[in-house]
Amino acid sequence: MSASPARNDRRIILHLDYDCFYASVFEVEQPALKSLPLAVQQKQIVVTCNYEARRRGLNKLQLIKDAKRICPDVVIVLGEDLTKFRDASKDLYLLIRSFIWGGRVERLGFDELSLDVTEMIDYNVGLLNPNTMTTSFFHLDQKDPTVGFAYDATKFVGSTYPPTEEVFARPPDIASLEMKLLIASHLNGYLRGIMEHEKGFTATGGASTSKLLAKLVGSVRKPNNQTTLLPPYETSQEAASNVIPFMDAHEIQKIPGIGSRLAHKLRSLVTGPDTGDQKVTVRDVRLFPGMGPVLLEKTLGGPGAPKGIGMRVWNTLHGVDNTEVLEARDLPTQISIEDSYGRGRLDNMESVRRELTILAKSLIRRMRTDLLDKTESNPGQARWLAHPRTLRLSTRPRNAPETDGVRTYNANRISRSAPLPTFLFHMDENIDALADRLVREHVLSMFRKLHPEKSGWDLSLMNIAVTNLVESAGDQKQSSGRDIGKMFRQQETVLKDWTVQEPVERAVIMQPNVSEIPEVPVPEVPGWTLTAPPDEADVWEEGDEESLGDVECALCGAAMPHFAQLAHQMYHAVED
Ligand code: DCP
Ligand code: MG
Ligand code: MG
């Protein structure tokens, strides 16, 4: 057995995951929904439901027809248009980010944030007075000592793992990791309070020393709660690490960064092939004979696997994650809109044209949202911050049934790229007219090159994207400065009780690059590409929110997002 990886617990990381996020967006719009069981529908799936619905037996990623059977008075709202979720997500992100020094906030998917608060915590530890611990003051601003909140530095906020008595017999040593985490739990509680008070959203929080541990410990108690992972993190002569038993108890697939594909390989290794989807924990893998980075590399490595995957997973099994909190990029690298289609829905040119026009409208709307400089007061004169150069059309044809009638799932997309016509940047034309022209003059001819047959193709997915973004020259800093000034002026009126100094030094804030499909190689010369989607299992993010539907159930033909596939298979298994 190989040696455990070394720990480095200098950072303090908070994790926030909004409670039943899509459902909460509707509840904030219509508070009367809060007391009702509420489910959000995409295709035939409940993508999420509020906690009232969960109390009544509903689950995330359940079929709508099951939800109606289990809870006949469930209120169902359609959540296929992601605009309002994206807007709420951005709004909450900007609010939280305004408190975090250096803007050290990463968005993971739509409803999670990772915050590196090391500097804020170190600063506040330095100001603790051992004689007045119960009446401490958390400083949110280094320049203005009046900005912050009062707190009791002898108690954690929320729960801890493992659970502790609320009041310590002896408060932790000021220089200890435990003290830092205790203070961090107060910041976590404060930020969650601000979110709820100002925006009406509750979140579940975690506090630890890495993105991995903060996220995992955050989900120990849901909803509207928070958990801190207590030291010791290292095993010493006095005490055993809390990290190892905490990690050990998790099912292998629940670990961020170990998606379904890796989990499947690890399960097969541990239980032998053909034992189905038996539950395997981190402990089972960690203690498997001969386990170590080498065996993991042998098991998980190979063509297409990221370099050093064995070591990365070995670290992960021990709760070691040294990845940085990545701040949002100013501009997306591509914008991509797609939808999936049931069998037979896209088998003639007219339906293809109609659906492409719908996609093109969303695409142009998104380009205007994400790429225009909105600080210009006259919208007609708004400046493009970046110009995409390439237009890409991708489709995913269904496989024809095999001789035994079984239709295998085709994961491959085919795509074609062409220069993006510049008329898309005209602001004086309306979106409908632009979308119509884009499809008739450009996209349809790309489609015909992808599918030369006159009809008869049966497509399960179409995607239109603009890629190859070139940032415009110009003083972007200045314009974003105005943006941020406005944001803080608004915030001042909202956050009456806590005045926040305007952080002039903050960087550009724009839609981060989280709502796109993962980039697939785009050929420089327009032509054929055959691309398999990247293994979303291996990325940290929960995935691709733009993708509303991806796979088709071989048993019942229901179309569903790829992430719903597992739950859906379980549904059939239970039904039988
Ligand atoms: N989502 C989705 N498909 C998934 C996972 C999530 O469409 N497989 C969407 C719907 C969720 C949102 O993203 O509202 C956030 O995902 P979470 O897994 O955090 O789920 P919720 O926030 O809805 O619930 P919870 O309270 O369990 O966090
Ligand atoms: Mg959530
Ligand atoms: Mg989440």
Side-chain angles (χ1 to χ4, degrees):
M1 172 124 168
S2 306
S4 303
R7 300 202 58 86
N8 170 359
D9 292 304
R10 273 197 292 274
R11 295 175 304 158
I12 299 296
I13 310 287
L14 303 181
H15 185 91
L16 293 172
D17 184 324
Y18 314 147
D19 297 322
C20 55
F21 180 52
Y22 288 6
S24 298
V25 171
F26 288 100
E27 289 180 354
V28 166
E29 267 178 8
Q30 294 180 64
L33 291 171
K34 283 187 189 179
S35 53
L36 304 172
L38 176 70
V40 182
Q41 172 172 11
Q42 280 178 3
K43 308 282 164 171
Q44 296 98 309
I45 299 276
V46 172
V47 280
T48 194
C49 52
N50 68 2
Y51 279 80
E52 180 54 32
R54 293 186 205 187
R55 264 189 289 280
R56 303 210 198 177
L58 300 196
N59 293 313
K60 294 193 269 189
L61 306 183
Q62 191 170 34
L63 285 182
I64 287 287
K65 71 172 180 11
D66 291 344
K68 284 183 175 159
R69 182 169 48 76
I70 295 165
C71 179
D73 53 346
V74 61
V75 177
I76 294 176
V77 287
L78 260 193
E80 290 186 2
D81 179 356
L82 304 183
T83 313
K84 62 170 114 188
F85 311 134
R86 183 179 296 113
D87 291 349
S89 171
K90 188 168 174 180
D91 199 32
L92 292 170
Y93 161 75
L94 289 176
L95 173 67
I96 296 299
R97 189 187 196 274
S98 68
F99 289 92
I100 306 305
W101 297 356
R104 304 291 311 275
V105 181
E106 178 176 352
R107 247 169 52 147
L108 307 158
F110 270 12
D111 91 322
E112 289 173 42
L113 300 176
S114 230
L115 288 60
D116 185 332
V117 296
T118 312
E119 201 191 340
M120 300 178 83
I121 300 301
D122 286 347
Y123 181 78
N124 279 284
V125 167
L127 297 178
L128 280 176
N129 177 345
N131 303 316
T132 57
M133 293 292 271
T134 53
T135 54
S136 300
F137 187 80
F138 192 108
H139 292 269
L140 287 166
D141 192 318
Q142 280 168 285
K143 296 189 202 97
D144 182 347
T146 63
V147 179
F149 57 91
Y151 73 105
D152 177 351
T154 64
K155 292 178 186 172
F156 278 90
V157 170
S159 19
T160 59
Y161 175 97
T164 44
E165 291 298 318
E166 256 201 2
V167 184
F168 288 90
R170 187 172 50 85
D173 178 2
I174 284 187
S176 66
L177 175 58
E178 188 160 9
M179 193 71 231
K180 289 189 193 182
L181 289 167
L182 182 148
I183 299 181
S185 78
H186 285 273
L187 178 59
N188 212 352
Y190 174 82
L191 295 173
R192 289 177 44 243
I194 292 269
M195 256 182 60
E196 182 169 12
H197 193 245
E198 307 307 337
K199 303 284 179 186
F201 285 84
T202 62
T204 297
S208 186
T209 57
S210 66
K211 294 200 290 187
L212 172 73
L213 291 175
K215 178 181 163 88
L216 280 176
V217 81
S219 53
V220 165
R221 281 187 143 217
K222 289 164 70 166
N224 198 9
N225 208 319
Q226 64 176 62
T227 310
T228 304
L229 182 57
L230 289 181
Y233 283 14
E234 308 230 38
T235 298
S236 65
Q237 273 160 353
E238 294 83 52
S241 162
N242 282 336
V243 174
I244 297 299
F246 175 68
M247 291 302 300
D248 268 0
H250 285 87
E251 223 184 302
I252 192 74
Q253 199 177 329
K254 293 273 160 62
I255 303 300
I258 301 187
S260 52
R261 199 182 294 190
L262 296 187
H264 178 75
K265 289 183 182 169
L266 292 171
R267 272 195 302 262
S268 309
L269 174 74
V270 171
T271 62
D274 308 324
T275 42
D277 278 334
Q278 204 173 311
K279 283 200 176 19
V280 166
T281 63
V282 169
R283 183 185 162 85
D284 297 331
V285 178
R286 190 174 63 80
L287 298 181
F288 185 76
M291 188 46 75
V294 176
L295 178 55
L296 286 167
E297 185 73 41
K298 215 175 100 202
T299 310
L300 308 172
K307 241 178 123 193
I309 189 163
M311 188 48 93
R312 176 173 72 75
V313 172
W314 182 241
N315 283 340
T316 302
L317 296 177
H318 291 82
V320 171
D321 163 32
N322 296 321
T323 59
E324 292 287 327
V325 167
L326 301 174
E327 292 150 48
R329 233 177 305 161
D330 300 346
L331 291 169
T333 54
Q334 63 166 13
I335 296 174
S336 137
I337 305 286
E338 69 185 33
D339 204 348
S340 63
Y341 306 92
R343 199 175 294 159
R345 252 187 77 197
L346 285 188
D347 58 0
N348 65 75
M349 213 33 135
E350 183 46 32
S351 54
V352 164
R353 191 199 56 76
R354 194 178 54 236
E355 295 302 330
L356 285 173
T357 308
I358 293 172
L359 294 178
K361 277 184 209 166
S362 306
L363 182 71
I364 299 167
R365 217 173 291 125
R366 273 289 298 289
M367 283 173 62
R368 290 186 175 184
T369 308
D370 289 2
L371 303 181
L372 275 180
D373 176 357
K374 280 163 238 67
T375 54
E376 183 55 62
S377 46
N378 177 358
Q381 317 217 311
R383 198 171 64 90
W384 291 91
L385 296 170
H387 289 85
R389 295 284 186 240
T390 305
L391 176 66
R392 185 183 68 214
L393 171 70
S394 318
T395 67
R396 195 182 54 202
R398 273 195 181 76
N399 283 345
E402 316 262 331
T403 43
D404 55 3
V406 174
R407 193 185 284 263
T408 54
Y409 170 63
N410 175 20
N412 291 330
R413 297 174 184 216
I414 51 178
S415 65
R416 190 149 185 118
S417 301
L420 184 73
T422 50
F423 67 77
L424 275 196
F425 300 110
H426 294 174
M427 289 303 296
D428 41 9
E429 266 189 83
N430 77 38
I431 291 180
D432 289 3
L434 287 175
D436 204 57
R437 182 172 169 199
L438 181 70
V439 171
R440 286 181 192 283
E441 294 180 10
H442 296 268
V443 187
L444 279 179
S445 67
M446 295 163 81
F447 183 89
R448 288 196 193 94
K449 286 178 186 133
L450 276 182
H451 300 283
E453 318 80 33
K454 284 260 174 324
S455 64
W457 3 265
D458 187 5
L459 306 177
S460 61
L461 176 139
M462 293 201 295
N463 173 311
I464 313 187
V466 291
T467 68
N468 197 4
L469 261 71
V470 178
E471 275 189 49
S472 314
D475 190 357
Q476 209 177 305
K477 269 221 171 64
Q478 196 198 338
S479 57
S480 59
R482 285 196 302 251
D483 230 352
I484 290 168
K486 187 156 151 257
M487 174 183 120
F488 271 86
R489 277 190 298 283
Q490 283 166 349
Q491 216 173 68
E492 256 165 47
T493 51
V494 187
L495 301 176
K496 286 181 243 37
D497 303 343
W498 303 283
T499 328
V500 177
Q501 201 77 28
E502 182 159 330
V504 253
E505 77 285 10
R506 300 255 155 106
V508 188
I509 299 175
M510 284 203 54
Q511 177 95 344
N513 183 23
V514 293
S515 52
E516 308 141 17
I517 63 154
E519 176 66 295
V520 290
V522 177
E524 283 304 313
V525 187
W528 287 87
T529 39
L530 195 59
T531 52
D535 183 6
E536 54 281 283
D538 293 346
V539 297
W540 173 282
E541 280 86 356
E542 299 217 330
D544 162 16
E545 300 93 341
E546 207 63 74
S547 159
L548 297 182
D550 248 348
V551 292
E552 186 174 305
C553 173
L555 294 171
C556 67
M560 72 196 67
H562 59 276
F563 46 73
Q565 204 179 7
L566 193 69
H568 185 75
Q569 281 164 1
M570 274 155 54
Y571 149 79
H572 279 298
V574 172
E575 199 178 40
D576 297 340

